[in-house]
Amino acid sequence: MEDTYCNNGYTLATRVVHGAVSFDPLTGAVSTPIYQSSTFRHPGLYESTGFDYSRGINPTRTELERTLALLEKGKYCLAFASGMGAISGAIKIFAPGDHLVVSEDLYGGTYRLFNEYYSHYGFSFSWVDTSDFAAVEAALRPETKALFIETPSNPMMKVTDIRRCGELIRKRGGILIADNTFLSPYFQNPLETGADMVIHSGTKYLAGHNDTLSGFIVHSLPELEGPLRNIQKSEGASLAPFDAWLTLRGIKTLAVRMEKHGQNALKIARWLREQPEVEKVFYPGFEDHPQYALSQSQARGFGGMISFYLKDAAFVPVVLKNVSLILFAESLGGVESLITYPLVQTHEAIPQEMRLAAGVNDRLMRLSVGIEDPDDIIEDLRRAFNVCRHGPCKKEIGS
Ligand SMILES: *Cc1c(COP(=O)(O)O)cnc(C)c1O
């Protein structure tokens, strides 16, 4: 297609704006058309436009898949109706009897999917702290077919060594799957540093506006492309045209948003550290984060997610009640700052002892830093902390 493919030499910041095809070759439309059609007319028997039925293939979705493949430096990309749809699709390439080693500190929905559903179909899972390489090695079994990691992890912001984990599992014929939702392809490309498959919840930074759900598998394994396409088409969790378009539109501003998310998060994380109501802040951009050097070696930024322990569990409801700019809501990665309480929200599906072992206790808050003025976000937190300090819940800090 003449010169419309935007895949030669451009940096990521340019690619996000132009996508795979910079304009619609048919009409010149600068915004990818929404092909809101369930089916496509065939020109004749054995003649095809390349499109037949939208569960299997749709032009708007195809443009999004090509764009994300370029951004993640993969050969293939498949778009699903949500991040969970993508993870559920990816795991179907395995067979009953297969074993997967999974980050113990991960999105609660992924834990629920694996533990409550796939474990009943003959899959087995070991939950380990994958930032501890020796623990990963110790968890491997002869039937281990994959490592499934989140890095940085959700919500404790632990960083896993993508290169070493990839080498370890490939030596045994398995694959490394990395959920790259937290950093987005703008800050991290796991396929380049040693993963075989990347997962995204496009609902988060990729779409970026808290207005749609989407999910992706990106990979470069020709032998898996056929089976994965077949899963996508057969299961029916493929991404709808309008949601594909919203995600494409979101991606156009990914670079500027991620820069701002990262700058805001660092400023707020540093401020949080100084507050008497806060016991500890988890942010991979701190130089004293245990895997700071590893982060720098495999990512180009630290992202917009922060978690922190309040000094007292009694502060939790006070903070959630008294923030006003920051919205108390699940999810992350959008332009609006959101705060959540992982223990009872995102990580509620994970058993208590496992949550506590991972560090998800009753004082842990998770902040998805938006792109507002960081001083306004800080002011909002300051007011909420002031109620903890002076309001009805007054406590002796440090006693
Ligand atoms: C949100 C999220 C998911 C699930 O994605 P949905 O789009 O909500 O289905 C998976 N992994 C991570 C890290 C997430 O944050």
Side-chain angles (χ1 to χ4, degrees):
M1 218 172 280
E2 16 144 1
D3 238 344
T4 55
Y5 280 96
C6 180
N7 52 2
N8 286 324
Y10 297 115
T11 65
L12 229 67
T14 301
R15 274 185 193 161
V16 293
V17 177
H18 287 270
V21 182
S22 187
F23 56 90
D24 176 34
L26 193 64
T27 62
V30 168
S31 169
T32 304
I34 305 167
Y35 285 89
Q36 194 66 45
S37 188
S38 59
T39 190
F40 297 83
R41 172 186 168 270
H42 301 295
L45 187 63
Y46 309 126
E47 289 175 59
S48 170
T49 58
F51 297 95
D52 46 26
Y53 188 64
S54 278
R55 175 154 35 73
I57 184 165
N58 174 280
T60 313
R61 191 193 305 138
T62 298
E63 168 61 7
L64 173 59
E65 289 176 339
R66 286 185 180 154
T67 297
L68 202 64
L70 281 175
L71 299 182
E72 275 296 9
K73 326 267 161 108
K75 282 205 180 80
Y76 313 104
C77 173
L78 303 100
F80 292 82
S82 67
M84 294 318 300
I87 295 171
S88 187
I91 196 169
K92 291 200 179 63
I93 62 173
F94 301 106
D98 288 351
H99 171 250
L100 285 85
V101 175
V102 186
S103 295
E104 67 176 359
D105 178 27
L106 93 166
Y107 181 65
T110 308
Y111 176 82
R112 183 175 57 221
L113 180 74
F114 289 174
N115 187 57
E116 286 183 28
Y117 295 95
Y118 284 97
S119 61
H120 297 314
Y121 291 92
F123 294 80
S124 57
F125 303 94
S126 295
W127 311 94
V128 306
D129 175 357
T130 53
S131 70
D132 175 356
F133 188 72
V136 176
E137 276 184 308
L140 294 177
R141 299 183 196 159
E143 67 275 21
T144 305
K145 291 291 161 58
L147 301 179
F148 186 106
I149 61 169
E150 264 180 40
T151 181
S153 65
N154 181 2
M156 301 310 296
M157 313 304 291
K158 290 179 183 170
V159 178
T160 294
D161 191 326
I162 299 172
R163 190 170 285 108
R164 282 181 87 191
C165 283
E167 283 165 8
L168 177 71
I169 188 71
R170 272 190 301 279
K171 254 191 280 169
R172 302 164 144 258
I175 62 169
L176 174 64
I177 305 172
D179 183 332
N180 198 29
T181 299
F182 262 39
L183 287 185
S184 90
Y186 185 71
F187 280 143
Q188 179 167 269
N189 292 124
L191 295 179
E192 275 196 332
T193 49
D196 302 287
M197 187 183 282
V198 163
I199 298 286
H200 275 286
S201 168
T203 313
K204 314 295 169 56
Y205 289 107
L206 289 170
H209 292 74
N210 291 321
D211 57 8
T212 189
L213 293 149
S214 59
F216 302 92
I217 299 173
V218 192
H219 70 103
S220 297
L221 302 165
E223 68 276 18
L224 285 186
E225 179 56 5
L228 283 169
R229 282 281 157 209
N230 210 23
I231 290 165
Q232 184 195 37
K233 182 166 87 177
S234 305
E235 274 205 324
S238 27
L239 187 62
F242 184 59
D243 297 335
W245 182 83
L246 279 172
T247 308
L248 268 172
R249 190 175 69 157
I251 287 174
K252 286 178 191 283
T253 56
L254 183 70
V256 287
R257 282 188 287 108
M258 291 314 292
E259 290 290 347
K260 180 71 171 160
H261 283 297
Q263 287 161 14
N264 280 3
L266 184 60
K267 181 164 187 180
I268 291 159
R270 285 185 177 145
W271 178 83
L272 277 170
R273 249 188 176 181
E274 305 300 318
Q275 305 313 304
E277 288 75 21
V278 174
E279 182 186 296
K280 189 165 183 194
V281 181
F282 303 92
Y283 184 63
F286 284 148
E287 282 168 31
D288 57 2
H289 183 284
Q291 293 107 25
Y292 181 73
L294 176 61
S295 278
Q296 286 200 308
S297 76
Q298 62 187 26
R300 296 176 290 272
F302 306 107
M305 297 300 298
I306 301 170
S307 55
F308 57 96
Y309 288 145
L310 289 166
K311 283 220 173 105
D312 191 322
F315 294 164
V316 171
V318 182
V319 169
L320 293 177
K321 190 91 197 152
N322 286 282
V323 285
S324 55
L325 177 69
I326 303 168
L327 304 173
F328 171 31
E330 275 166 90
S331 199
L332 64 106
V335 291
E336 298 92 356
S337 292
L338 303 181
I339 194 162
T340 56
Y341 187 40
L343 188 74
V344 301
Q345 291 185 301
T346 52
H347 289 65
E348 180 267 334
I350 299 177
Q352 175 81 354
E353 63 289 2
M354 203 175 137
R355 281 188 307 221
L356 291 177
V360 181
N361 65 22
D362 61 357
R363 290 174 292 118
L364 182 78
M365 312 293 298
R366 192 189 76 182
L367 184 63
S368 172
V369 178
I371 63 166
E372 302 95 337
D373 186 326
D375 293 335
D376 286 335
I377 302 172
I378 286 174
E379 192 49 36
D380 202 39
L381 289 166
R382 191 199 310 279
R383 285 198 198 124
F385 289 167
N386 267 339
V387 183
C388 297
R389 210 173 303 172
H390 306 297
C393 73
K394 187 172 176 188
K395 285 262 171 186
E396 287 298 318
I397 292 161
S399 64

